[in-house]
């Protein structure tokens, strides 16, 4: 299966992506993880991305598309993948469609974890306290949630019109959410 997972910060996308990918025998591919690994290893891409991020900029669609296309050529992604953190813009949606089309593939589904914003804010505030994240205040967390809604709504609408969007209740125990996601997938397999 070729999947995307969407959900606001704190919805548990990373946790669910890893669990779903393991159950389906496909890699969970996180652009954030790819960027962090390249920065840590000081690859040419990592140096470029680090400079962009430390100057307060955003990594361009061009660079992001390039790293995703490269990652999708790895052997472990030959029969499917779950993308977490990509696409984030309409341009990235178009680029992903073109990448897949060039290889004779298409997306099977786009998962959207639906969560209660107040519960997520509470969860993130507890995490900030536990992990000593002083900059994760309620105002900052709510602003990130608002930005996510604004930026992701058009993507979710695009995939809904395309008949690919699968909305799943993202609240509750981790195992329960994973089970709901898996149960929602067979109709798209």
């Amino acid at each position: 299966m070729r999947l995307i997972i969407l959900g606001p910060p704190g919805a548990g996308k990373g946790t669910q992506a890893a669990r779903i990918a393991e159950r389906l025998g496909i890699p969970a591919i996180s652009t954030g993880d790819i960027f962090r690994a390249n920065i840590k290893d000081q690859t040419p891409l990592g140096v470029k991305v680090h400079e962009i991020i430390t100057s307060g900029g955003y990594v361009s669609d061009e660079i992001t598309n390039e790293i995703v296309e490269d990652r999708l050529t790895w052997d472990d992604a030959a029969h499917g993948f779950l993308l977490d953190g990509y696409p984030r813009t309409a341009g990235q949606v178009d680029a992903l469609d073109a990448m897949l089309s060039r290889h004779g593939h298409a997306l099977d589904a786009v998962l959207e974890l639906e969560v209660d914003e107040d519960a997520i804010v509470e969860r993130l505030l507890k995490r900030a306290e536990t992990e000593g994240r002083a900059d994760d205040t309620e105002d900052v967390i709510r602003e990130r949630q608002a930005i996510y809604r604004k930026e992701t709504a058009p993507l979710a609408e695009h995939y809904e019109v395309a008949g690919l969007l699968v909305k799943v209740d993202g609240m509750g125990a981790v195992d329960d959410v994973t089970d709901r996601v898996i149960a929602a997938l067979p109709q798209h397999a």
Side-chain angles (χ1 to χ4, degrees), residues 164-183:
L164 293 171
L165 193 67
V166 177
K167 295 181 181 189
V168 179
D169 179 2
M171 298 301 294
V174 172
D175 288 341
D176 294 342
V177 175
T178 304
D179 290 343
R180 284 194 291 270
V181 170
I182 297 298

Side-chain angles (χ1 to χ4, degrees), residues 93-158:
V93 168
D94 294 341
L96 178 61
D97 288 345
M99 283 176 221
L100 293 174
S101 179
R102 280 194 295 278
H103 299 284
H105 301 300
L107 288 171
D108 292 298
V110 176
L111 307 167
E112 182 177 33
L113 296 179
E114 295 184 306
V115 295
D116 176 80
E117 186 172 325
D118 290 333
I120 293 302
V121 169
E122 189 175 313
R123 179 190 306 167
L124 291 175
L125 286 172
K126 283 181 184 167
R127 183 176 79 181
E129 186 178 309
T130 313
E131 296 179 9
R133 297 180 179 197
D135 58 334
D136 277 358
T137 64
E138 182 169 348
D139 288 342
V140 168
I141 292 167
R142 288 198 183 275
E143 177 63 18
R144 286 186 198 133
Q145 300 286 321
I147 291 168
Y148 172 82
R149 281 192 310 276
K150 179 182 170 193
E151 291 179 352
T152 305
L155 303 184
E157 288 171 21
H158 169 82

